[in-house]
Amino acid sequence: MALDKSIKSIKSIKSVTFDAFVRQSTSVSSEIVAHIETLISSGSLAPGTKLPAERELAQVLKVSRASLREAMHELEAKRVVERRPGRGTIVLEAPAHVRTVYEEMPESERTLRDVAELRETIEPKFAQLAAERATKAGLYALERVLETTARDDLTQEESLKADITFHMLLAQASQNPLMVALNSLANSWTESVRAFSHGTDEARRSSHLGHQLIFTAVRSGNGAAARDAMLAHLADVTHLTKNNLPSF
């Protein structure tokens, strides 16, 4: 099973085009961190996945082992991965006690309105902390997602996936693993309803604009502005959802 996961992780990494991967404005190790965090946030690397051995991963990513080692130190410090003697590097799962919150909650209690209120409670704090704590790698990963959502030909499915990835990366940038776990739960609860806010070209442009304003505040290090930008973005999402789902 571990071998299968390792092979899958190699395939997902190999499927990415690396022509523009290394940018002079960002260190190579930061590029690596951003890339792996994006793969994890988008679901391409699932919790429990074993990453390829250092030598093999460095060859796949076309980077030096020194840069890869530096990136792995940062990912481990952020509790994104764990290096286990004799087992290699593993993508960490959400803390068990946080996952239990979802598993033990009756489905009837997981109403869409409750989830929306949850997002409005926790995500502005993610944005504020991200503005205060984001690393160069975190900012670069967020910027890469925004480059994707700026496309005019983005489909609903692509826009939704990018939306979830953006918010996951923002939670990662908060440097709080418990908040990352909570955001993962919120994503699992809200994916179906979030699709309604990506159903039209106008809605997708609105989502991109909201993310761009959040990113601008995060990049500037302005926590209050990032928090307010997230609140405004979530208000827009709620408005779009109500227009497409009256029972919300």
Side-chain angles (χ1 to χ4, degrees):
M1 180 64 72
L3 178 60
D4 289 342
K5 285 186 174 181
S6 181
I7 292 173
K8 288 180 181 178
S9 71
I10 294 173
K11 288 182 177 179
S12 65
I13 292 172
K14 284 185 175 179
S15 67
V16 179
T17 299
F18 291 100
D19 291 344
F21 178 65
V22 178
R23 295 169 59 184
Q24 293 182 358
S25 61
T26 308
S27 70
V28 176
S29 64
S30 293
E31 298 269 359
I32 298 168
V33 171
H35 182 58
I36 292 178
E37 283 189 331
T38 300
L39 289 174
I40 293 171
S41 297
S42 65
S44 297
L45 288 179
T49 300
K50 179 181 177 181
L51 297 182
E54 182 182 285
R55 182 188 299 276
E56 185 177 4
L57 186 55
Q59 290 176 344
V60 171
L61 294 174
K62 300 179 181 178
V63 298
S64 71
R65 294 178 68 178
S67 293
L68 178 62
R69 200 171 296 121
E70 183 180 349
M72 287 301 152
H73 279 305
E74 180 175 340
L75 289 168
E76 189 171 32
K78 294 164 78 172
R79 301 296 298 161
V80 174
V81 302
E82 182 178 61
R83 288 181 284 187
R84 301 173 181 173
R87 292 189 58 191
T89 302
I90 309 296
V91 177
L92 289 177
E93 297 188 29
H97 62 284
V98 178
R99 294 198 306 272
T100 302
V101 172
Y102 177 77
E103 294 167 356
E104 293 184 353
M105 182 180 291
E107 186 174 357
S108 60
E109 295 180 15
R110 303 179 208 155
T111 66
L112 300 178
R113 183 176 294 105
D114 290 345
V115 173
E117 291 173 354
L118 172 63
R119 291 191 69 189
E120 291 169 0
T121 300
I122 64 176
E123 294 202 43
K125 188 64 176 181
F126 293 159
Q128 177 186 340
L129 291 177
E132 297 168 357
R133 302 173 179 174
T135 63
K136 289 181 179 179
L139 292 173
Y140 178 72
L142 288 166
E143 188 176 13
R144 288 283 297 273
V145 176
L146 287 173
E147 289 173 359
T148 297
T149 56
R151 288 170 29 210
D152 292 331
D153 61 343
L154 208 65
T155 66
Q156 180 182 22
E157 182 180 357
E158 290 171 332
S159 182
L160 176 60
K161 182 178 179 180
D163 175 47
I164 291 174
T165 300
F166 179 87
H167 285 268
M168 277 300 300
L169 287 170
L170 200 64
Q172 289 278 10
S174 76
Q175 307 289 345
N176 186 321
L178 289 179
M179 287 190 170
V180 174
L182 281 174
N183 194 58
S184 296
L185 291 177
N187 284 339
S188 67
W189 290 335
T190 62
E191 184 171 359
S192 59
V193 69
R194 287 166 93 151
F196 288 101
S197 61
H198 293 266
T200 66
D201 290 341
E202 181 181 359
R204 292 191 280 275
R205 285 193 293 270
S206 175
S207 176
H208 171 75
L209 177 59
H211 290 173
Q212 182 66 61
L213 292 173
I214 294 167
F215 174 72
T216 298
V218 169
R219 183 176 53 189
S220 69
N222 191 328
R227 180 193 63 228
D228 292 346
M230 176 62 78
L231 282 169
H233 171 59
L234 293 176
D236 287 341
V237 170
T238 298
H239 177 72
L240 287 167
T241 304
K242 284 182 176 179
N243 285 345
N244 291 283
L245 186 64
S247 61
F248 178 70

